[in-house]
């Protein structure tokens, strides 16, 4: 599957993986509210290290074909998708119509970022 290593696809896959780590780093501790804050911070930093190990190469590789603004937009859209799934599956929180409308507006903004040349 050579398309997996293309500079157009691999950054998206790396950003997806990095966002899974970052979502757990930022929000996973909400399931463990009795854990000491310092411990939560240290564990979150440890998880975030792996996020950086994926996000930095994703942006370096992706900048061959995407502008920085496009890379940031890709990352934000992925973050919303990963967070929505995490929120429902892990935190057992419901998403409602206002979340859907807000996410749709962000997706509309992403659409405009990718119009034109980009870089």
């Amino acid at each position: 599957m050579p398309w997996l290593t293309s500079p157009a696809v691999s950054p998206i896959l790396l950003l997806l993986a990095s966002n899974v780590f970052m979502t757990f780093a930022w929000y996973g501790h909400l399931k463990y509210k009795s854990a000491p804050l310092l411990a939560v911070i240290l564990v979150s930093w440890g998880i975030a290290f792996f996020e950086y190990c994926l996000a930095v190469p994703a942006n370096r590789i992706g900048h061959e074909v995407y502008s920085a603004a496009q890379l940031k937009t890709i990352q934000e859209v992925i973050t919303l998708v990963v967070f929505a799934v995490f929120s429902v599956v892990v935190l057992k929180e419901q998403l409602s119509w206002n979340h859907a409308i807000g996410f749709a507006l962000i997706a509309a903004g992403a659409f405009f970022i990718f119009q034109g040349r980009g870089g």
Side-chain angles (χ1 to χ4, degrees), residues 5 68 94:
T5 59
Q94 299 268 328

mmCIF file with all atom_site columns, all heavy atoms in Angstrom, residues 5 68 94:
data_model
loop_
_atom_site.group_PDB
_atom_site.id
_atom_site.type_symbol
_atom_site.label_atom_id
_atom_site.label_alt_id
_atom_site.label_comp_id
_atom_site.label_asym_id
_atom_site.label_entity_id
_atom_site.label_seq_id
_atom_site.pdbx_PDB_ins_code
_atom_site.Cartn_x
_atom_site.Cartn_y
_atom_site.Cartn_z
_atom_site.occupancy
_atom_site.B_iso_or_equiv
_atom_site.pdbx_formal_charge
_atom_site.auth_seq_id
_atom_site.auth_comp_id
_atom_site.auth_asym_id
_atom_site.auth_atom_id
_atom_site.pdbx_PDB_model_num
ATOM 1  N N   . THR A 1 5  ? 2.273   5.755  2.537  1.00 0.00 ? 5  THR A N   1
ATOM 2  C CA  . THR A 1 5  ? 3.494   6.524  2.788  1.00 0.00 ? 5  THR A CA  1
ATOM 3  C C   . THR A 1 5  ? 3.538   7.829  1.994  1.00 0.00 ? 5  THR A C   1
ATOM 4  O O   . THR A 1 5  ? 4.533   8.539  2.052  1.00 0.00 ? 5  THR A O   1
ATOM 5  C CB  . THR A 1 5  ? 4.736   5.680  2.445  1.00 0.00 ? 5  THR A CB  1
ATOM 6  O OG1 . THR A 1 5  ? 4.667   5.291  1.066  1.00 0.00 ? 5  THR A OG1 1
ATOM 7  C CG2 . THR A 1 5  ? 4.831   4.450  3.334  1.00 0.00 ? 5  THR A CG2 1
ATOM 8  N N   . ALA A 1 68 ? 0.658   25.239 6.195  1.00 0.00 ? 68 ALA A N   1
ATOM 9  C CA  . ALA A 1 68 ? 0.546   25.129 7.650  1.00 0.00 ? 68 ALA A CA  1
ATOM 10 C C   . ALA A 1 68 ? -0.908  25.295 8.091  1.00 0.00 ? 68 ALA A C   1
ATOM 11 O O   . ALA A 1 68 ? -1.381  24.583 8.983  1.00 0.00 ? 68 ALA A O   1
ATOM 12 C CB  . ALA A 1 68 ? 1.447   26.156 8.332  1.00 0.00 ? 68 ALA A CB  1
ATOM 13 N N   . GLN A 1 94 ? -23.433 12.398 26.227 1.00 0.00 ? 94 GLN A N   1
ATOM 14 C CA  . GLN A 1 94 ? -24.242 12.486 25.016 1.00 0.00 ? 94 GLN A CA  1
ATOM 15 C C   . GLN A 1 94 ? -23.839 13.706 24.197 1.00 0.00 ? 94 GLN A C   1
ATOM 16 O O   . GLN A 1 94 ? -23.498 14.752 24.753 1.00 0.00 ? 94 GLN A O   1
ATOM 17 C CB  . GLN A 1 94 ? -25.719 12.634 25.406 1.00 0.00 ? 94 GLN A CB  1
ATOM 18 C CG  . GLN A 1 94 ? -26.250 11.471 26.213 1.00 0.00 ? 94 GLN A CG  1
ATOM 19 C CD  . GLN A 1 94 ? -26.871 10.430 25.318 1.00 0.00 ? 94 GLN A CD  1
ATOM 20 O OE1 . GLN A 1 94 ? -27.416 10.753 24.284 1.00 0.00 ? 94 GLN A OE1 1
ATOM 21 N NE2 . GLN A 1 94 ? -26.787 9.177  25.719 1.00 0.00 ? 94 GLN A NE2 1
#
